Amino acid sequence: MALRIRKSIKIAPGVKINLSKSGISTSLGGKGSTVNLGKRGARVTTSIPGTGISSSKLYVTGNRAAQPAVFTPLWAHVVAWLIVAAVLWWIFS
């Protein structure tokens, strides 16, 4: 049996930072549609809330065999943090 450890930290409405033993990822969105940016690529999940019907697709950039095992799309995290900073600036100014 595998043991999973995960912690999700809510940064702003619709923005979460997910920490696990396998790495860090950023989730953007809420009920109905979510984009998760992690080391495997971008996962887009859409659903019809309340029905249990959902669809998920992983978008991987480049040749995964040529990339190192610890590849993290740093640009994706930077974009997410810039969005968080802009929202916080807009709220508090």
Side-chain angles (χ1 to χ4, degrees):
M1 180 165 82
L3 178 65
R4 293 185 194 181
I5 300 171
R6 186 179 70 88
K7 175 67 177 169
S8 182
I9 302 167
K10 184 177 180 182
I11 302 298
V15 180
K16 292 181 191 175
I17 300 296
N18 306 305
L19 306 169
S20 72
K21 64 181 183 179
S22 62
I24 185 170
S25 68
T26 305
S27 295
L28 305 169
K31 292 182 181 179
S33 180
T34 303
V35 177
N36 186 293
L37 308 168
K39 70 180 183 180
R40 293 184 190 126
R43 178 172 299 278
V44 178
T45 304
T46 56
S47 66
I48 302 171
T51 63
I53 299 171
S54 66
S55 174
S56 182
K57 179 162 172 116
L58 179 64
Y59 293 92
V60 180
T61 57
N63 182 2
R64 293 297 295 165
Q67 295 174 352
V70 294
F71 171 74
T72 301
L74 182 60
W75 62 268
H77 292 289
V78 171
V79 169
W81 281 107
L82 288 174
I83 292 169
V84 168
V87 168
L88 292 174
W89 179 78
W90 180 71
I91 290 171
F92 293 113
S93 65

